[in-house]
PDB file of all heavy atoms in Angstrom:
ATOM      1  N   ALA A 138     -20.395  62.965  21.407  1.00 90.00           N
ATOM      2  CA  ALA A 138     -20.029  64.304  20.948  1.00 90.00           C
ATOM      3  C   ALA A 138     -18.712  64.206  20.178  1.00 90.00           C
ATOM      4  O   ALA A 138     -17.860  63.379  20.507  1.00 90.00           O
ATOM      5  CB  ALA A 138     -19.882  65.266  22.120  1.00 90.00           C
ATOM      6  N   PRO A 139     -18.522  65.038  19.154  1.00 91.00           N
ATOM      7  CA  PRO A 139     -17.270  64.991  18.387  1.00 91.00           C
ATOM      8  C   PRO A 139     -16.057  65.180  19.294  1.00 91.00           C
ATOM      9  O   PRO A 139     -16.050  66.014  20.204  1.00 91.00           O
ATOM     10  CB  PRO A 139     -17.422  66.162  17.413  1.00 91.00           C
ATOM     11  CG  PRO A 139     -18.898  66.368  17.289  1.00 91.00           C
ATOM     12  CD  PRO A 139     -19.468  66.044  18.630  1.00 91.00           C
ATOM     13  N   GLY A 140     -15.033  64.370  19.024  1.00 91.00           N
ATOM     14  CA  GLY A 140     -13.786  64.477  19.764  1.00 91.00           C
ATOM     15  C   GLY A 140     -13.785  63.752  21.088  1.00 91.00           C
ATOM     16  O   GLY A 140     -12.761  63.708  21.770  1.00 91.00           O
ATOM     17  N   GLY A 141     -14.921  63.217  21.490  1.00 93.00           N
ATOM     18  CA  GLY A 141     -14.994  62.525  22.764  1.00 93.00           C
ATOM     19  C   GLY A 141     -14.544  61.069  22.655  1.00 93.00           C
ATOM     20  O   GLY A 141     -14.146  60.583  21.591  1.00 93.00           O
ATOM     21  N   THR A 142     -14.585  60.393  23.773  1.00 94.00           N
ATOM     22  CA  THR A 142     -14.197  58.983  23.848  1.00 94.00           C
ATOM     23  C   THR A 142     -15.320  58.190  24.490  1.00 94.00           C
ATOM     24  O   THR A 142     -15.919  58.626  25.482  1.00 94.00           O
ATOM     25  CB  THR A 142     -12.920  58.811  24.693  1.00 94.00           C
ATOM     26  OG1 THR A 142     -11.854  59.508  24.057  1.00 94.00           O
ATOM     27  CG2 THR A 142     -12.551  57.343  24.836  1.00 94.00           C
ATOM     28  N   SER A 143     -15.605  57.033  23.914  1.00 95.00           N
ATOM     29  CA  SER A 143     -16.586  56.112  24.488  1.00 95.00           C
ATOM     30  C   SER A 143     -16.032  54.700  24.346  1.00 95.00           C
ATOM     31  O   SER A 143     -15.824  54.218  23.229  1.00 95.00           O
ATOM     32  CB  SER A 143     -17.940  56.239  23.767  1.00 95.00           C
ATOM     33  OG  SER A 143     -18.899  55.365  24.341  1.00 95.00           O
ATOM     34  N   LEU A 144     -15.759  54.063  25.476  1.00 94.00           N
ATOM     35  CA  LEU A 144     -15.159  52.733  25.491  1.00 94.00           C
ATOM     36  C   LEU A 144     -16.015  51.785  26.324  1.00 94.00           C
ATOM     37  O   LEU A 144     -16.590  52.175  27.340  1.00 94.00           O
ATOM     38  CB  LEU A 144     -13.758  52.782  26.107  1.00 94.00           C
ATOM     39  CG  LEU A 144     -12.729  53.709  25.484  1.00 94.00           C
ATOM     40  CD1 LEU A 144     -11.468  53.729  26.342  1.00 94.00           C
ATOM     41  CD2 LEU A 144     -12.398  53.260  24.069  1.00 94.00           C
ATOM     42  N   ALA A 145     -16.085  50.530  25.902  1.00 95.00           N
ATOM     43  CA  ALA A 145     -16.733  49.487  26.695  1.00 95.00           C
ATOM     44  C   ALA A 145     -15.817  48.278  26.718  1.00 95.00           C
ATOM     45  O   ALA A 145     -15.270  47.886  25.673  1.00 95.00           O
ATOM     46  CB  ALA A 145     -18.093  49.122  26.102  1.00 95.00           C
ATOM     47  N   TRP A 146     -15.618  47.715  27.892  1.00 95.00           N
ATOM     48  CA  TRP A 146     -14.756  46.533  27.965  1.00 95.00           C
ATOM     49  C   TRP A 146     -15.249  45.608  29.071  1.00 95.00           C
ATOM     50  O   TRP A 146     -16.009  46.009  29.955  1.00 95.00           O
ATOM     51  CB  TRP A 146     -13.301  46.941  28.161  1.00 95.00           C
ATOM     52  CG  TRP A 146     -12.943  47.557  29.488  1.00 95.00           C
ATOM     53  CD1 TRP A 146     -12.406  46.942  30.580  1.00 95.00           C
ATOM     54  CD2 TRP A 146     -13.079  48.933  29.861  1.00 95.00           C
ATOM     55  NE1 TRP A 146     -12.194  47.831  31.601  1.00 95.00           N
ATOM     56  CE2 TRP A 146     -12.595  49.066  31.192  1.00 95.00           C
ATOM     57  CE3 TRP A 146     -13.571  50.073  29.199  1.00 95.00           C
ATOM     58  CZ2 TRP A 146     -12.593  50.287  31.857  1.00 95.00           C
ATOM     59  CZ3 TRP A 146     -13.563  51.278  29.876  1.00 95.00           C
ATOM     60  CH2 TRP A 146     -13.068  51.379  31.191  1.00 95.00           C
ATOM     61  N   ARG A 147     -14.813  44.381  28.981  1.00 95.00           N
ATOM     62  CA  ARG A 147     -15.221  43.356  29.937  1.00 95.00           C
ATOM     63  C   ARG A 147     -14.248  43.326  31.114  1.00 95.00           C
ATOM     64  O   ARG A 147     -13.038  43.378  30.909  1.00 95.00           O
ATOM     65  CB  ARG A 147     -15.246  41.980  29.276  1.00 95.00           C
ATOM     66  CG  ARG A 147     -16.269  41.855  28.155  1.00 95.00           C
ATOM     67  CD  ARG A 147     -16.200  40.471  27.536  1.00 95.00           C
ATOM     68  NE  ARG A 147     -17.104  40.317  26.421  1.00 95.00           N
ATOM     69  CZ  ARG A 147     -18.387  39.951  26.534  1.00 95.00           C
ATOM     70  NH1 ARG A 147     -18.880  39.716  27.743  1.00 95.00           N
ATOM     71  NH2 ARG A 147     -19.152  39.833  25.478  1.00 95.00           N
ATOM     72  N   VAL A 148     -14.801  43.202  32.310  1.00 96.00           N
ATOM     73  CA  VAL A 148     -13.977  43.081  33.510  1.00 96.00           C
ATOM     74  C   VAL A 148     -14.395  41.804  34.243  1.00 96.00           C
ATOM     75  O   VAL A 148     -15.540  41.354  34.128  1.00 96.00           O
ATOM     76  CB  VAL A 148     -14.123  44.307  34.432  1.00 96.00           C
ATOM     77  CG1 VAL A 148     -13.626  45.552  33.730  1.00 96.00           C
ATOM     78  CG2 VAL A 148     -15.571  44.485  34.891  1.00 96.00           C
ATOM     79  N   PRO A 149     -13.497  41.188  34.996  1.00 97.00           N
ATOM     80  CA  PRO A 149     -13.864  39.979  35.746  1.00 97.00           C
ATOM     81  C   PRO A 149     -14.990  40.259  36.737  1.00 97.00           C
ATOM     82  O   PRO A 149     -15.139  41.388  37.235  1.00 97.00           O
ATOM     83  CB  PRO A 149     -12.575  39.595  36.462  1.00 97.00           C
ATOM     84  CG  PRO A 149     -11.481  40.276  35.698  1.00 97.00           C
ATOM     85  CD  PRO A 149     -12.076  41.539  35.167  1.00 97.00           C
ATOM     86  N   LEU A 150     -15.748  39.238  37.038  1.00 98.00           N
ATOM     87  CA  LEU A 150     -16.816  39.370  38.025  1.00 98.00           C
ATOM     88  C   LEU A 150     -16.266  39.520  39.430  1.00 98.00           C
ATOM     89  O   LEU A 150     -16.862  40.165  40.277  1.00 98.00           O
ATOM     90  CB  LEU A 150     -17.734  38.146  37.969  1.00 98.00           C
ATOM     91  CG  LEU A 150     -18.527  37.974  36.677  1.00 98.00           C
ATOM     92  CD1 LEU A 150     -19.209  36.616  36.672  1.00 98.00           C
ATOM     93  CD2 LEU A 150     -19.553  39.077  36.522  1.00 98.00           C
ATOM     94  N   GLY A 151     -15.138  38.875  39.699  1.00 98.00           N
ATOM     95  CA  GLY A 151     -14.546  38.878  41.032  1.00 98.00           C
ATOM     96  C   GLY A 151     -14.403  37.466  41.549  1.00 98.00           C
ATOM     97  O   GLY A 151     -13.552  36.714  41.071  1.00 98.00           O
ATOM     98  N   VAL A 152     -15.265  37.064  42.475  1.00 98.00           N
ATOM     99  CA  VAL A 152     -15.232  35.702  43.020  1.00 98.00           C
ATOM    100  C   VAL A 152     -16.367  34.899  42.402  1.00 98.00           C
ATOM    101  O   VAL A 152     -17.526  35.320  42.434  1.00 98.00           O
ATOM    102  CB  VAL A 152     -15.373  35.705  44.556  1.00 98.00           C
ATOM    103  CG1 VAL A 152     -15.267  34.272  45.095  1.00 98.00           C
ATOM    104  CG2 VAL A 152     -14.328  36.601  45.194  1.00 98.00           C
ATOM    105  N   VAL A 153     -16.028  33.751  41.856  1.00 98.00           N
ATOM    106  CA  VAL A 153     -17.004  32.848  41.241  1.00 98.00           C
ATOM    107  C   VAL A 153     -17.112  31.587  42.090  1.00 98.00           C
ATOM    108  O   VAL A 153     -16.092  30.982  42.452  1.00 98.00           O
ATOM    109  CB  VAL A 153     -16.591  32.487  39.799  1.00 98.00           C
ATOM    110  CG1 VAL A 153     -17.495  31.395  39.238  1.00 98.00           C
ATOM    111  CG2 VAL A 153     -16.628  33.721  38.908  1.00 98.00           C
ATOM    112  N   GLY A 154     -18.324  31.190  42.409  1.00 98.00           N
ATOM    113  CA  GLY A 154     -18.564  29.926  43.096  1.00 98.00           C
ATOM    114  C   GLY A 154     -18.905  28.847  42.090  1.00 98.00           C
ATOM    115  O   GLY A 154     -19.794  29.036  41.248  1.00 98.00           O
ATOM    116  N   VAL A 155     -18.208  27.725  42.143  1.00 98.00           N
ATOM    117  CA  VAL A 155     -18.456  26.600  41.244  1.00 98.00           C
ATOM    118  C   VAL A 155     -18.907  25.409  42.092  1.00 98.00           C
ATOM    119  O   VAL A 155     -18.165  24.941  42.958  1.00 98.00           O
ATOM    120  CB  VAL A 155     -17.202  26.226  40.437  1.00 98.00           C
ATOM    121  CG1 VAL A 155     -17.461  24.999  39.554  1.00 98.00           C
ATOM    122  CG2 VAL A 155     -16.742  27.408  39.583  1.00 98.00           C
ATOM    123  N   ILE A 156     -20.121  24.947  41.863  1.00 98.00           N
ATOM    124  CA  ILE A 156     -20.681  23.811  42.596  1.00 98.00           C
ATOM    125  C   ILE A 156     -20.789  22.650  41.623  1.00 98.00           C
ATOM    126  O   ILE A 156     -21.505  22.721  40.628  1.00 98.00           O
ATOM    127  CB  ILE A 156     -22.043  24.162  43.220  1.00 98.00           C
ATOM    128  CG1 ILE A 156     -21.888  25.358  44.171  1.00 98.00           C
ATOM    129  CG2 ILE A 156     -22.616  22.961  43.958  1.00 98.00           C
ATOM    130  CD1 ILE A 156     -23.194  25.832  44.792  1.00 98.00           C
ATOM    131  N   ASN A 157     -20.067  21.582  41.951  1.00 95.00           N
ATOM    132  CA  ASN A 157     -19.740  20.535  40.990  1.00 95.00           C
ATOM    133  C   ASN A 157     -20.493  19.242  41.296  1.00 95.00           C
ATOM    134  O   ASN A 157     -20.669  18.895  42.458  1.00 95.00           O
ATOM    135  CB  ASN A 157     -18.223  20.273  41.098  1.00 95.00           C
ATOM    136  CG  ASN A 157     -17.622  19.811  39.811  1.00 95.00           C
ATOM    137  OD1 ASN A 157     -18.147  20.070  38.747  1.00 95.00           O
ATOM    138  ND2 ASN A 157     -16.518  19.101  39.914  1.00 95.00           N
TER     139      ASN A 157
END
Side-chain angles (χ1 to χ4, degrees):
T142 298
S143 181
L144 303 173
W146 69 97
R147 296 179 183 273
V148 297
L150 294 171
V152 183
V153 172
V155 177
I156 301 177
N157 210 24

